[in-house]
Amino acid sequence: MNDPPWLELSFDTWVSTRVPELMRFAYLVTGSQDAAEEAVQTALSAAFEKWSRVRRTTDPDAYVRRMIANAHVSQWRKFGKRIAVVSAVPEDRGGDPADSIATNDAVWRVCSALPRQQRAAVVLRFYEDLDYAEIARILEVTEATVRSHIHRALAALRVQLTRAED
């Protein structure tokens, strides 16, 4: 039986290749560069402490992304709601930067209007492709609440997109 390639990786090696993607994910969940950095740092600190266990999971990336979402939810509860509006999602990919900045700006403007819990539920559902039960565990709400958040968020997005087309 072949072991997954990440099983033998040191934490430092794994992190050096994953940080840009983890930061993009955290930014989408938090809506703020500062909050994203804080959530990633918190998650990576915890992952480092239990790396031997984390690397044996079927998908360490998904495990750490859940840790990032949980870290952000903990921050909500600890410090209350703080909103920081930003103009674009940082991109680290090739291609014409103007196209990706314009697309990211449009997506972010539409999503930034959503309440935090709705935005987090949408990101976890459609960006991370998690099922409702997993999202409910991460956000520490019921599955019905997750479905409600996503339903309301999609309805709000439809209204915003319809207005933008007119």
Side-chain angles (χ1 to χ4, degrees), residues 60-141:
D61 292 358
Y63 190 92
V64 173
R65 284 191 300 265
R66 284 188 190 104
M67 293 173 80
I68 290 169
N70 288 340
H72 182 59
V73 169
S74 294
Q75 285 299 104
W76 288 348
R77 292 190 173 124
K78 193 173 188 180
F79 296 111
K81 295 181 179 181
R82 290 183 284 180
I83 298 174
V85 178
V86 293
S87 61
V89 176
E91 267 302 318
D92 194 40
R93 298 183 183 167
D96 184 3
D99 290 341
S100 67
I101 289 171
T103 300
N104 290 341
D105 185 52
V107 169
W108 181 247
R109 269 189 271 126
V110 171
C111 290
S112 66
L114 295 173
R116 288 177 180 237
Q117 288 250 334
Q118 287 180 13
R119 184 174 58 232
V122 167
V123 168
L124 292 170
R125 179 69 184 109
F126 298 106
Y127 180 78
E128 286 301 312
D129 198 29
L130 299 180
D131 63 31
Y132 293 108
E134 289 175 299
I135 297 168
R137 276 195 303 280
I138 290 169
L139 298 180
E140 296 179 358
V141 296

